Amino acid sequence: MLFPQQNDRRNKLDLSGIWDFRIDPEHLGEGDQWFNSLADARPIAVPGSWNDQYADIFNYLDLAWYVKRTYVPRSWQGQRVFIRVGSANYYGTVYVNGTRVGSHEGGHLPFAFEITSLLKWDAENVVAISVENELKPTRVPAGNMSTALGPFASFPRTTFDFFPFAGIHRPVVLYSVPQTYIEDVTVVTDIDGVEGSVTVTARLNEPVATQGSITLSGANSPLQATLSFNQGVAEAKLNVLAPRLWSDKDPYLYELTVSTESDRFSLSVGIRTIAVEGGTILLNGQPMKMNGFGRHEDFIASGKGLNLPLLVKDYQLMRWTGANSYRTSHYPYSEEEMQMADREGFLVIDEIPAVSLQFENDENAATRLRMCQQQLDELVARDKNHPSVVMWCVANEPMPSSLNLETLTASASGDPSVQRGKQFLETLLRRARELDPTRLVTLVTVMGGPQDWMQECDVICMNRYWGWYVLGGEMDKAIASLGQELDQVWSLWRKPIIMTEFGADTMPGLHGQPPVMWTEEYQADYIRGHLDVAARKEYVAGMQVWHFADFAAVQSIMRIGGMNMKGIFTRTRTPKLAAHVLREFWAKRPDAAQTETVGEAVAVGGVTLPR
Ligand code: GCB
């Protein structure tokens, strides 16, 4: 799905701003035609979650209505006009001038509907969107499961550890395109010796035969090729001699423009390859490590709403630590975020919202699988052209029913959900590979989860909490157990391992000697211990700390003030002690994404670190 753009053939009108808003707990809105206007409306920001804009609806997760009035420029007449919602969590329905135009399920991916015939050109148009975010067992992610959670019970009753923010989270845009327009573009890059190639497939909205062209500008270019559309589809390949490759150290982007008689669409292209060999991930044929964070879209007041200054700041802070990578835990992030990653040279593990999947019976599993497949299809369609995206992740911590959450162990024998889960996950991994054979595929495993769920993965991604949920306070034993487990997993799979989560809740400002759990010193030691172990193991292809910043979770005895405090930065982005440890390991190493020379080198635990 192409990102809307303004150029000489296309138009775009961003409806971000203050909208009218009203909650609808009794579901009266449709019958009472709230889509025409909202009585007793209150103002709300779009994009933005509703929960943190008003205290009385903090925990409200049911139906709500948004209304906005807008003119559409007359100059758009004769074009086809669409409404596009970047993200509405979880179920969104769009109305234009009183007509229901369509609905979309799934909270973190864009959807669009054509509205040309519904528009008024000489008066204001009424755009209404209803959004509903009930926690339901068969949704992805799920909530309100009947499973007993004991001390892990939370309010709201999610199966996941982040606040279920609701609302319109990304911009609502009206855009116009010519009658015959470029509906999709797929770019695949390759490198063969000193030559790079860019293969472009373009698809029109109609199965016509026509001519077009592609132009690639940047280093050792411009290059041009003809597109001969047959049945609305055309492909062309450009060979770029001695291309400037895209990487985390030099995120060089070419500009590709696809033109047809009536339309034009431009996008940034990074020429790069990604592969694995033994225990190593290869970017452009060179070994590299993916160091960084698990993150969330989360901030005060905006909730999960797109927050551009925060986005820029977070990239700056990630760079400051020396990180070159992150995972979009636990759902797709905004398109603006992916564009930043391309530009700033971050290697992204792109994840669908399949967090804490359970496989308790065939029926629920089938419903969830359909939803996961839809989200995977939509994610690949949206993000397939981003050089930053190097891996698709189809699940975070899927769990067998027999997993004991207190000990993080499971008894595989006699648990039917183990086999059910295996089939489910393999279906998704194969689908990801089929949709995009040019990237790596993975899923993220839970501590104690079945090993053979990872069989189809290119990279083994492990979340481990040695020294926090297991062996908390016993750092030496925890670090030793980590080392042993890593070796076991490596000898089983012989594939690169990324630790996609490891972390310790930490109260900023709490100190201790000896360092005890929750102090900044404990977190710093914990991170150092983990990075030391990883540095000694060649097959560890990346370390992603949980978490970049403290974030809103649900209320429970596990979460102080409803917050997950494992951030390296506080929620307002102040560094904790551990941030400096990351800098020692990542920012000051010669091969780090951002190199910086500070102090003289010292040898620590097998690696040479600057002071
Ligand atoms: C996990 C989950 C993550 C949680 C984290 C924690 O394993 O993947 O969503 O936030 O643990 O802090 O407990």
Side-chain angles (χ1 to χ4, degrees), residues 323-379:
N324 69 344
S325 175
Y326 65 87
R327 175 168 63 116
T328 69
S329 44
H330 294 309
Y331 39 80
Y333 292 0
S334 69
E335 288 156 288
E336 290 78 359
E337 178 86 54
M338 297 294 103
Q339 291 160 5
M340 270 295 272
D342 291 345
R343 194 168 163 172
E344 294 293 298
F346 276 77
L347 302 155
V348 177
I349 303 178
D350 208 357
E351 185 164 289
I352 60 167
V355 42
S356 313
L357 283 169
Q358 298 183 35
F359 313 99
E360 70 281 14
N361 61 49
D362 286 333
E363 202 189 335
N364 288 358
T367 312
R368 284 190 206 114
L369 182 60
R370 270 197 303 280
M371 201 52 217
C372 286
Q373 285 172 334
Q374 180 196 316
Q375 292 177 333
L376 186 57
D377 293 0
E378 290 179 8
L379 179 65

Side-chain angles (χ1 to χ4, degrees), residues 34-72:
W34 291 12
F35 39 76
N36 288 325
S37 73
L38 282 181
D40 301 323
R42 50 178 150 181
I44 203 146
V46 171
S49 301
W50 69 59
N51 313 78
D52 218 9
Q53 296 188 54
Y54 292 102
D56 62 311
I57 50 174
F58 183 65
N59 289 307
Y60 183 76
L61 297 175
D62 206 327
L63 188 64
W65 291 78
Y66 292 77
V67 173
K68 180 89 175 165
R69 291 170 181 275
T70 182
Y71 275 94
V72 178

